[in-house]
Amino acid sequence: MEFQRHDAPFFTPRTDVASIMRQVLYALIPAVLAHVWFFGPGILFNLIIAALFCLAGEAAMMKIRRRPVQAALADYSAMVTAAIIAFALPSLTPWWVTATASLFGIVVAKHLYGGLGFNVFNPAMAGYVVVLIAFPMDLNLWTAPRMGDIDYQYPTLLETIRYTLTGVLPSDLGFDAVSRATPLDQVKSGLSNMRTFDEIHNNPMMGHFGGRGWEWVSNFVALGGIWLLLKKIIRWQIPLGVLAGLLIPSGFLYWVDAGVHASPGFYLFSGATMLCAFFVATDPVSAATSPKGRLIYGFGIGFMIYAVRRWGSYADGVAFAVLLMNLATPAIDYLTRPRIVGHRKLEKWRQE
Amino acid sequence: MSAPTFDLGTLHGGLRMPACKDESTARVIQHIPIPTQLVLPLAQHAGEPAHPVVSIGERVLRGQLIADADGMISAPVHASSSGKIVAIEQWPVSRRLGENAPCIVIECDGLDSPVQLSEPIVPFEKVDPESLLQKILHGGIVGLGGAVFPTAQKLMAATAESLEHLIINGVECEPYISCDDVLMREHAAEIVIGAQILLHALQLDHCLIAVESDKPEAIHALADALTELQDSRIVIKQIPTIYPSGAEDQVVQLVTKKEVPTGGLPTDVGCLVQNVGTAVAVHNWINDGEPLISRVTTVTGDGIAAPMNVMARIGTTIADVVNFVGGYTDRAKRLIIGGPMTGKAVSTDRVPLVKATNTILVLSETPAVGTEQPCIRCGECAQVCPILLLPQQLYWYACADDEAKLRSYGLIDCIECGCCDLVCPSHIPLTADFRMAKARMRELADETARAERARKRFESRTVRLEREQLQRAQELLEQRKKVQKAGPQAIQEILERSKSKDNSASEKDE
């Protein structure tokens, strides 16, 4: 009798990349629903267009690189990139903006660096930053969040599709009618106009912490993130690092002078903080890998987000923070190598 | 009863795995009858293979020495039963390098007549430690935990160090394997006496028996044996069930809270580790005069009809063992010698059961594992690595063949436990890659050493040649001076002499 042979270990691996990516996608479902509830169906069209272009970009690049196309599409990594791009863009975004972000993310940031596992930068954030700089006007059209009692006008489903495809709103709907400055924008401009945070925040639009609608989307993003933590798809170091990196400086400055600084709660639940902490910064490929390194990496992102929001010229700083820390990853990994069991000190080990 | 204790060091990472041991521990150890043929490899231990001391056609008896230790690190091989030597030839064996190895084949007569056994040493306390060690040397005893390092040499090397503890390793953390468990359940007294013998040989008075928490029967049996034998030097340490806590260095780390330094041995932190099976083998040899000719082996897996633990003579072929336990099931597709994490797949069941064979694992079809995907640097491998290595970095450097980085990231510290493979979502065969990278590194080191030797040889040759040339030039110079001093007359004489010499030489040629 001839037996099959292969190398030890003889157990099957417990998980695979596709299932990890799929679970990341599942974890975003509650947040998508919340997004649709508060900001209209725009995100769904963003999602469709981003998915289309991300998958097409992935397939084309794999073909050009003479790699198996099927395998790359089946690992769902391009879908995750698409989902994060869809979340980052305003609810009303013309298709070419989404397409540009998707193609830049996949083609340039991912495949020109060697494809899955080799990209230095987070593809979604790289794509987003490109359109943020290239199409600044198109990234402002955030529909007003559903407010319940407050009078509120929003484009219908058909009008949303039409805007996504043409970039034109119906003549009876002005930009001013459907869109609102985001809470981050309001706080930033308010603070720079010497208004106190309490004054700015005393507005039904601002909700409890991070702005009406925004804070609920954040809650659902965090919920998905906690589910990923429980499933051990992501580890706690990066989310904690990001949140701490944002909370510590904002909390300290708010404690020093609550008038001129926004509250830490506001920063935590507005913009893309939660998305960043649980879904963007935790992209393993472009993040640090050692546990200690991940804390530092996360903390750096959190701090940088705060710095951009508070002192930078952009309202939100997630993308810049992530890309900057991506650059620091190799150094962080190198400096936070754990002490190998049986080795005395890291210093000695380095000299060898 | 000495209470099991949890006062332990910590182990990073590791995996909790399905034990898969209940199938084989359901019944007591079954004794396999003597087979018609025994195949005894000359290399069943780490170090130099033994050299045969019998010839083909010779009749041997059970326990008779048939191959003697050869070299500093080696162990003798004894006939596991009586019969006739029919061949000394290449035979398929289970090991990492090569498929065949020289073996002595015995055709058994079924009588199992014993050789005039060497006198048991009872009581062993009467004998001085030195002669006890010498005695152990001839028992063919090797480490039965898997490394099969000759026990006597390990003990002798350890006596040179300052030791604190003897650790008897009953931590059988790898799934499926249960031979040590049943040995502890059924032969606890022999283990304790074996430990006492080792303590005496090492002149130590502190012994820890490490057992995993998922083996309550074994702990009870050992505790009972200890109560009966009234030995306060020996203490049971219960350690948590997590793979790979049973590896030698890891056991030391858990029970003594000390890390074995890189490239070092447990003796560097005052510990000597022996497997429970080895302790029993020592007991059998010293107390009963029986060398290592049989062992307990777990025969299990979904490819085995009736999984169980068997006591088999060393040299019984796997086919005979499997026949005894009721044969294969229809699903049997893979034959693994050893556990599912560190074992070795073999293609044929003609291979013999050797001193190292703790498990015969027969599994069904290789599961369809997706193709290897690029590493996504999720770092799960680093989370489970018991040595705190960064397998994701090592993998990167192994691919790039970057020897310096591999060295500084501790490739040589890898214990090849296989944990990283199991958690890798990209299904990269990390352990196999690391094993290969290690082999390459060793090769490279050998090559470098060879090149270094060649360079030295070349350099010294150059120096020698130069020196010789200089010497010759000097001699020539001196001669010329001498000649010049003697004047033209002498030159003429010399020339004539050399001419006549030439002539005589040419005449001779003709």
Side-chain angles (χ1 to χ4, degrees):
Chain A
M1 185 165 176
E2 186 79 10
F3 293 95
Q4 295 171 353
R5 300 192 53 183
H6 64 105
D7 252 325
F10 303 99
F11 275 127
T12 348
R14 295 178 166 187
T15 176
D16 56 87
V17 175
S19 96
I20 288 177
M21 298 290 175
R22 260 201 320 268
Q23 291 183 75
V24 171
L25 290 173
Y26 296 154
L28 278 171
I29 291 174
V32 172
L33 297 178
H35 208 288
V36 170
W37 172 260
F38 283 106
F39 298 99
I43 190 170
L44 297 177
F45 302 111
N46 289 351
L47 202 54
I48 291 167
I49 291 163
L52 223 62
F53 281 91
C54 280
L55 292 176
E58 179 102 341
M61 286 310 285
M62 289 303 272
K63 188 128 198 160
I64 292 167
R65 296 175 59 212
R66 291 164 211 258
R67 304 282 163 95
V69 175
Q70 193 78 39
L73 296 184
D75 69 21
Y76 294 93
S77 61
M79 274 304 294
V80 171
T81 303
I84 289 167
I85 287 175
F87 258 97
L89 294 171
S91 43
L92 287 179
T93 308
W95 70 269
W96 56 87
V97 175
T98 316
T100 309
S102 305
L103 287 177
F104 187 87
I106 293 290
V107 175
V108 179
K110 187 176 179 184
H111 279 284
L112 292 190
Y113 281 88
L116 182 66
F118 297 91
N119 45 300
V120 176
F121 296 108
N122 182 310
M125 289 301 103
Y128 175 74
V129 159
V130 164
V131 295
L132 185 64
I133 293 163
F135 307 101
M137 290 313 293
D138 288 312
L139 292 196
N140 272 330
L141 214 53
W142 280 98
T143 45
R146 182 190 292 270
M147 305 273 284
D149 51 328
I150 290 167
D151 182 35
Y152 141 92
Q153 208 182 1
Y154 60 97
T156 61
L157 186 66
L158 269 174
E159 284 162 351
T160 308
I161 297 179
R162 193 169 146 213
Y163 181 78
T164 308
L165 295 179
T166 63
V168 178
L169 276 174
S171 49
D172 58 327
L173 270 181
F175 280 100
D176 293 341
V178 295
S179 79
R180 293 283 186 282
T182 65
L184 277 171
D185 276 323
Q186 291 182 24
V187 168
K188 178 158 236 158
S189 61
L191 287 177
S192 63
N193 290 333
M194 307 310 258
R195 293 168 64 205
T196 66
F197 176 67
D198 277 347
E199 216 179 310
I200 307 161
H201 207 265
N202 192 14
N203 171 347
M205 263 288 288
M206 300 303 285
H208 297 285
F209 285 114
R212 186 91 194 184
W214 294 89
E215 54 196 16
W216 275 104
V217 172
S218 288
N219 287 343
F220 281 105
V221 167
L223 194 72
I226 288 163
W227 182 71
L228 289 182
L229 273 175
L230 293 177
K231 299 280 283 181
K232 291 192 172 159
I233 302 289
I234 57 173
R235 297 277 176 173
W236 57 270
Q237 286 90 347
I238 292 177
L240 186 79
V242 172
L243 300 181
L246 184 60
L247 271 180
I248 291 170
S250 62
F252 176 72
L253 289 176
Y254 188 67
W255 173 72
V256 169
D257 188 344
V260 299
H261 297 289
S263 75
F266 169 74
Y267 284 127
L268 213 56
F269 291 98
S270 65
T273 309
M274 289 296 173
L275 188 73
C276 174
F278 290 103
F279 290 88
V280 181
T282 51
D283 162 37
V285 177
S286 53
T289 60
S290 66
K292 213 194 296 170
R294 285 178 166 176
L295 262 175
I296 296 170
Y297 171 81
F299 193 89
I301 289 178
F303 184 82
M304 221 83 85
I305 293 175
Y306 181 71
V308 174
R309 286 183 183 176
R310 189 65 193 87
W311 302 294
S313 54
Y314 285 90
D316 204 348
V318 165
F320 296 109
V322 169
L323 294 181
L324 276 171
M325 289 311 286
N326 284 165
L327 277 178
T329 296
I332 294 173
D333 270 343
Y334 183 77
L335 295 172
T336 58
R337 291 180 296 174
R339 183 190 64 87
I340 298 174
V341 171
H343 287 249
R344 283 198 171 282
K345 262 185 176 171
L346 205 56
E347 290 309 315
K348 264 191 191 162
W349 171 44
R350 273 190 199 130
Q351 280 161 16
E352 270 172 29
Chain B
M1 180 178 147
S2 42
T5 163
F6 260 115
D7 177 29
L8 297 169
T10 51
L11 190 68
H12 179 262
L15 286 178
R16 287 184 198 285
M17 283 196 273
C20 308
K21 300 189 192 216
D22 292 342
E23 297 84 352
S24 55
T25 54
R27 64 191 108 180
V28 295
I29 301 170
Q30 309 284 310
H31 289 255
I32 296 192
I34 293 145
T36 53
Q37 192 182 45
L38 288 165
V39 181
L40 292 149
L42 296 174
Q44 298 186 44
H45 46 263
E48 292 295 313
H51 66 271
V53 292
V54 289
S55 47
I56 294 167
E58 197 177 325
R59 195 179 135 70
V60 291
L61 298 171
R62 186 183 89 216
Q64 184 181 333
L65 182 77
I66 54 172
D68 206 357
D70 199 357
M72 282 299 286
I73 297 172
S74 186
V77 178
H78 300 83
S80 309
S81 186
S82 61
K84 204 172 82 177
I85 308 282
V86 291
I88 301 175
E89 60 180 15
Q90 295 285 321
W91 193 280
V93 292
S94 63
R95 55 172 192 178
R96 289 224 187 276
L97 298 166
E99 303 295 301
N100 294 310
C103 296
I104 297 175
V105 184
I106 301 174
E107 205 175 80
C108 300
D109 53 20
L111 301 171
D112 202 25
S113 4
V115 73
Q116 185 58 46
L117 288 181
S118 70
E119 276 302 303
I121 305 179
V122 185
F124 60 84
E125 289 94 340
K126 289 267 168 66
V127 184
D128 66 292
E130 186 51 37
S131 20
L132 204 54
L133 287 173
Q134 283 302 327
K135 171 80 179 170
I136 293 172
L137 192 60
H138 297 116
I141 301 165
V142 298
L144 296 182
V148 286
F149 193 86
T151 302
Q153 277 95 332
K154 189 170 176 178
L155 295 172
M156 285 169 180
T159 49
E161 310 277 336
S162 63
L163 287 182
E164 268 179 72
H165 310 283
L166 167 69
I167 298 172
I168 299 295
N169 187 354
V171 184
E172 203 173 31
C173 53
E174 205 169 334
Y176 286 107
I177 308 176
S178 63
C179 57
D180 289 349
D181 187 5
V182 292
L183 202 64
M184 288 186 281
R185 293 185 197 189
E186 297 177 34
H187 297 271
E190 283 98 315
I191 293 171
V192 174
I193 294 167
Q196 289 174 331
I197 297 171
L198 291 170
L199 283 176
H200 180 61
L202 293 163
Q203 291 292 290
L204 275 178
D205 51 13
H206 195 203
C207 170
L208 298 165
I209 304 182
V211 191
E212 268 173 312
S213 55
D214 70 340
K215 297 181 177 62
E217 295 93 338
I219 292 171
H220 272 291
L222 285 168
D224 287 349
L226 276 178
T227 324
E228 202 165 308
L229 290 161
Q230 298 272 334
D231 195 334
S232 59
R233 298 172 302 169
I234 303 174
V235 175
I236 302 172
K237 275 244 180 185
Q238 188 181 334
I239 69 168
T241 307
I242 189 157
Y243 178 83
S245 53
E248 192 172 55
D249 293 359
Q250 280 59 45
V251 166
V252 170
Q253 198 176 326
L254 279 167
V255 302
T256 67
K257 303 181 184 173
K258 286 179 195 157
E259 291 175 9
V260 177
T262 174
L265 291 169
T267 49
D268 294 338
V269 289
C271 294
L272 183 83
V273 185
Q274 291 291 351
N275 176 264
V276 287
T278 316
V280 171
V282 167
H283 161 270
N284 291 349
W285 174 233
I286 301 297
N287 253 28
D288 306 339
E290 188 185 86
L292 181 57
I293 56 167
S294 63
R295 72 158 294 152
V296 179
T297 297
T298 309
V299 191
T300 187
D302 59 357
I304 290 290
M308 63 177 82
N309 275 285
V310 297
M311 175 72 84
R313 297 295 165 95
I314 307 285
T316 310
T317 60
I318 304 300
D320 285 339
V321 175
V322 173
N323 266 340
F324 174 77
V325 302
Y328 299 105
T329 63
D330 295 340
R331 306 167 65 191
K333 281 287 186 299
R334 290 180 288 165
L335 173 59
I336 294 144
I337 307 298
M341 298 300 284
T342 58
K344 169 101 167 66
V346 292
S347 52
T348 168
D349 58 10
R350 290 179 69 224
V351 303
L353 180 153
V354 293
K355 291 173 183 175
T357 312
N358 54 11
T359 305
I360 298 165
L361 177 62
V362 184
L363 295 176
S364 49
E365 195 82 38
T366 312
V369 178
T371 44
E372 185 179 332
Q373 277 174 302
C375 166
I376 57 166
R377 298 170 56 76
C378 63
E380 285 303 307
C381 46
Q383 296 269 357
V384 298
C385 181
I387 312 297
L388 274 164
L389 298 174
L390 298 172
Q392 76 274 22
Q393 302 297 107
L394 284 173
Y395 168 68
W396 189 278
Y397 298 129
C399 289
D401 226 346
D402 187 339
E403 204 213 332
K405 285 284 190 195
L406 284 173
R407 218 173 272 285
S408 84
Y409 276 80
L411 178 68
I412 42 164
D413 294 296
C414 171
I415 58 167
E416 299 175 21
C417 62
C419 288
C420 49
D421 272 52
L422 247 62
V423 296
C424 179
S426 298
H427 302 171
I428 300 166
L430 292 161
T431 311
D433 287 349
F434 296 159
R435 211 177 282 135
M436 223 136 75
K438 272 187 190 172
R440 261 206 310 275
M441 223 150 93
R442 265 196 302 271
E443 231 169 73
L444 211 65
D446 285 354
E447 237 166 69
T448 319
R450 251 203 314 277
E452 184 64 16
R453 274 201 300 276
R455 193 180 62 80
K456 282 212 177 112
R457 219 167 29 233
F458 177 76
E459 273 174 2
S460 61
R461 179 171 175 270
T462 319
V463 169
R464 197 189 70 227
L465 287 179
E466 270 170 10
R467 201 182 49 225
E468 279 174 5
Q469 210 166 13
L470 209 70
Q471 220 169 349
R472 204 170 305 141
Q474 216 143 24
E475 275 170 18
L476 218 63
L477 206 71
E478 269 167 31
Q479 235 163 23
R480 197 169 288 160
K481 267 186 200 156
K482 228 194 274 171
V483 166
Q484 265 164 3
K485 225 186 248 171
Q489 185 89 39
I491 295 177
Q492 197 63 38
E493 260 173 40
I494 289 168
L495 280 175
E496 263 166 30
R497 206 189 312 151
S498 73
K499 202 184 262 174
S500 69
K501 208 185 267 173
D502 279 353
N503 283 345
S504 65
S506 55
E507 270 164 28
K508 231 180 238 166
D509 281 349
E510 280 161 20

